[in-house]
Amino acid sequence: MNIKRVKRIRIFDTTLRDGEQTPGVSLTVEDKIEIAHQLSKLGVDVIEAGSPMSSEGEKKVVKAIAQEGLKSEICALARATKGDIDKAIDCDVDLIHLFIPTSPVQMKYAVNLNQAQVISATVEMIEYIKKHGLKCEFSPMDATRSKMPFLKQVCKAAEKTGADMINIPDTVGIMTPKTISKFISEIRSAIEVPISIHCHDDFGMAVANSLAAVEAGATQVHCTINGLGERAGNASLEEIVMALHMIYKMKTSVNSRLLYSTSRIVSTLTGLFVQANKAIVGENAFAHESGIHTRGITVKPLTFEPIKPELVGRKRRLVAGKLAGTRGIKAELEEIGITPNEKQLREIVKRIKDLGDKGKMVTDADLLAITSAVIGEVIAEEKIVDLCDLAVMTGIKVIPTASVRLVLDGKEYSAAETGVGPVDAVLKAIQKLTQNLEKIRLNEYRLEAITGGSNAVAEVIIKVEDEKGNIISARAAREDIVMASVEAMINGINKILIKNRKQGK
Ligand code: KIV
Ligand code: ZN
């Protein structure tokens, strides 16, 4: 099949179904509705909203999502039983995703059905769905470990009965790009109905395998935001979409500019952090530290940037560190309105590299401290928000409480807040106080221990967001987690306030 003839690949998002099966993730009704709205805005063709058979609560959520009048088609998952299908029909969805195991191991140990029983259940249940006037996507579960002649027989029976799409799940992620390509070609030769692909990431090949399946003729890809999903997860939507758009030059209905904000919403609501070096949406995906890179980037972004950050709703970030070059550090300082002269800049770069050579992480606070030392009091004058005093209280029978005294534009203010822990309480108190200047909220908080032991240096990386949606990241490293959090938060607030004032906002 000539992939150039395919105009558009359908994106079937299963964040709210397979993604919610991620160990430790459980979303509330409100969370799921918020994510569904974002997915529809993002432009996915199908939202698999959940598995109505799993609980009354889940059924209610799927029904609620189906009633939101979203642009995307809403789908519910069902096993091959009338009971499951009735529950999905009750939710008023557009489409039912029907699945039944077809591999010997799952037929025997998961459902205890023989081949004839699997075929008759498939036919009967597709007939039942179609009789109710709904679309049906059929998945022979664990397809990639099934016997090919039997799998073809099941797929042909599903096609003949009226399945609108046949989805091939690589349920335990055991394929490679080469084997899935051959596999899809073989299924392709047996049926006419469109083929979809559903890959899991057990060997880290879900995205590569999904793309290989597209090359072999699949016209729809199942994927999840941030690659959430059972065990190691599913194919990541953002990676699939960007590879289709930019490498394969194929279209999807997804608005790539909303990929990062969607990733952030899903990460916040699921509580699952995205690894820093994750493609497209990771903290470092558009960050450059080494001198040769930052030099290239500032002269011609194409040198080290295969994707323009704006295309996925992001901004380039130049990071100070021992590998950083003069241009990168200059750009970082300019971001917060500091323009050292050439001699000063050379000295700042030298001191940062010395610090890095000693094995120390260079934080924003370090960069500011060094710059301040090199160029005098300029930075101190630029501090809009400063910490005067802080007290936190926590324990078994006390609600974690923090009281904070800050100087804001030269005036002293104090506030107290409670939280789920001392860090939450103190960051809430800081945000409450800085509202006197501008509404700035914490958008992301990440904590990393740099060395082992209870005296480990904790690095806190935060992102703060102003009312216009501008986001700035800041970090701080200290042995005291509360103090590292406070310092990072105040750094971030200062950065965003200084930037906004310089731009006359
Ligand atoms: O991975 C899988 O096989 C599934 C099925 C429900 C299609 O998620
Ligand atoms: Zn799955």
Side-chain angles (χ1 to χ4, degrees):
M1 138 134 195
N2 175 7
I3 63 166
K4 290 210 173 82
R5 270 189 292 141
V6 180
K7 289 197 182 70
R8 201 171 74 83
I9 299 297
R10 278 168 64 86
I11 299 296
F12 179 114
D13 179 278
T14 181
T15 307
L16 295 176
R17 199 277 298 170
D18 227 341
E20 208 197 1
Q21 290 172 220
T22 305
V25 168
S26 169
L27 296 162
T28 64
V29 182
E30 294 75 28
D31 293 342
K32 286 190 90 161
I33 293 178
E34 186 178 340
I35 292 174
H37 272 273
Q38 182 66 21
L39 291 171
S40 179
K41 239 174 44 188
L42 182 67
V44 304
D45 296 280
V46 183
I47 295 172
E48 188 167 39
S51 320
M53 75 283 199
S54 62
S55 72
E56 263 315 298
E58 178 77 348
K59 191 176 153 193
K60 276 194 193 134
V61 186
V62 176
K63 194 174 173 106
I65 293 173
Q67 283 169 349
E68 289 291 304
L70 301 176
K71 246 182 24 228
S72 315
E73 282 184 279
I74 306 300
C75 171
L77 183 73
R79 292 169 299 190
T81 70
K82 281 194 176 158
D84 274 23
I85 295 169
D86 285 339
K87 285 183 181 140
I89 293 171
D90 280 351
C91 294
D92 300 322
V93 291
D94 305 297
L95 162 73
I96 293 183
H97 177 196
L98 174 74
F99 74 100
I100 191 163
T102 51
S103 67
V105 64
Q106 289 203 358
M107 281 161 58
K108 181 161 180 202
Y109 296 104
V111 286
N112 193 23
L113 294 176
N114 62 31
Q115 291 193 346
Q117 288 167 320
V118 167
I119 294 199
S120 69
T122 301
V123 169
E124 244 181 77
M125 293 307 124
I126 295 175
E127 268 170 1
Y128 189 66
I129 293 170
K130 298 308 291 181
K131 206 174 79 193
H132 283 85
L134 290 175
K135 280 202 203 169
C136 173
E137 175 157 338
F138 171 69
S139 282
M141 182 152 85
D142 208 10
T144 53
R145 290 194 297 179
S146 305
K147 295 205 166 84
M148 187 50 92
F150 175 60
L151 183 63
K152 281 187 182 169
Q153 226 184 319
V154 179
C155 290
K156 279 184 183 161
E159 173 176 48
K160 201 163 153 225
T161 321
D164 300 278
M165 170 85 71
I166 291 183
N167 176 56
I168 301 298
D170 182 22
T171 303
V172 290
I174 39 97
M175 299 307 264
T176 68
K178 209 165 174 176
T179 56
I180 195 78
S181 171
K182 192 160 170 282
F183 199 89
I184 295 293
S185 301
E186 190 139 7
I187 301 281
R188 176 75 288 160
S189 67
I191 53 171
E192 292 288 322
V193 66
I195 294 178
S196 167
I197 183 74
H198 177 111
C199 291
H200 279 270
D201 208 29
D202 297 72
F203 288 91
M205 286 189 280
V207 169
N209 289 343
S210 304
L211 295 168
V214 167
E215 286 182 36
T219 53
Q220 177 180 274
V221 180
H222 279 210
C223 40
T224 58
I225 299 293
N226 299 339
L228 292 182
E230 285 270 9
R231 306 181 308 280
N234 289 58
S236 139
L237 183 147
E238 51 281 1
E239 294 174 19
I240 295 280
V241 165
M242 291 316 288
L244 287 173
H245 290 186
M246 301 207 57
I247 300 174
Y248 288 81
K249 311 286 179 219
M250 284 172 139
K251 290 196 169 80
T252 72
S253 53
V254 167
N255 175 359
S256 66
R257 289 176 194 270
L258 296 180
L259 284 173
Y260 184 57
S261 52
T262 309
S263 160
R264 298 299 332 129
I265 289 171
V266 170
S267 170
T268 307
L269 295 179
T270 56
L272 278 189
F273 278 119
V274 173
Q275 77 194 52
N277 60 338
K278 162 99 172 59
I280 319 290
V281 293
E283 175 72 16
N284 292 347
F286 296 93
H288 308 268
E289 177 177 320
S290 91
I292 192 166
H293 285 219
T294 48
R295 185 173 194 289
I297 282 286
T298 47
V299 177
K300 184 142 181 89
L302 193 62
T303 46
F304 293 101
E305 228 168 44
I307 303 167
K308 283 191 186 143
E310 312 82 63
L311 262 187
V312 295
R314 302 203 61 178
K315 285 194 179 131
R316 178 181 312 135
R317 200 162 59 85
L318 302 177
V319 180
K322 75 167 181 180
L323 302 176
T326 310
R327 276 172 191 263
I329 291 174
K330 185 170 177 239
E332 224 201 313
L333 289 171
E334 274 169 359
E335 231 204 29
I336 50 171
I338 300 165
T339 324
N341 64 31
E342 261 182 47
K343 199 169 153 223
Q344 289 168 334
L345 184 62
R346 266 200 308 276
E347 182 59 23
I348 295 167
V349 173
K350 184 183 164 299
R351 291 197 198 185
I352 282 172
K353 285 176 185 283
D354 287 349
L355 206 60
D357 283 340
K358 285 180 193 139
K360 193 171 180 305
M361 293 240 355
V362 182
T363 65
D364 287 354
D366 295 325
L367 176 62
L368 288 182
I370 288 170
T371 308
S372 181
V374 172
I375 68 178
E377 288 309 301
V378 181
I379 299 169
E381 282 166 20
E382 294 278 13
K383 253 190 182 172
I384 297 171
V385 178
D386 208 358
L387 179 69
C388 296
D389 205 1
L390 159 74
V392 287
M393 191 173 61
T394 189
I396 298 170
K397 290 191 179 152
V398 276
I399 299 172
T401 308
S403 57
V404 174
R405 199 146 50 85
L406 294 182
V407 171
L408 307 177
D409 262 339
K411 267 203 225 149
E412 246 182 65
Y413 297 84
S414 51
E417 274 289 329
T418 57
V420 293
V423 170
D424 185 41
V426 78
L427 296 189
K428 275 186 182 157
I430 294 174
Q431 288 170 89
K432 189 173 173 184
L433 283 176
T434 46
Q435 279 195 21
N436 289 310
L437 299 175
E438 213 178 291
K439 205 163 183 187
I440 295 169
R441 67 173 194 93
L442 181 68
N443 170 289
E444 185 180 321
Y445 175 94
R446 207 167 77 235
L447 172 69
E448 272 158 30
I450 298 169
T451 52
S454 58
N455 63 348
V457 173
E459 190 193 16
V460 172
I461 300 144
I462 58 124
K463 282 188 184 165
V464 288
E465 186 176 353
D466 68 13
E467 270 179 303
K468 295 210 169 76
N470 296 311
I471 296 175
I472 269 193
S473 62
R475 35 180 153 179
R478 278 175 177 256
E479 278 143 0
D480 180 324
I481 292 171
V482 175
M483 286 313 295
S485 306
V486 168
E487 197 176 306
M489 187 74 189
I490 291 181
N491 282 346
I493 291 172
N494 271 317
K495 269 176 132 182
I496 210 159
L497 287 173
I498 291 167
K499 194 172 175 196
N500 286 350
R501 286 189 188 183
K502 295 240 174 233
Q503 290 170 354
K505 282 182 193 164

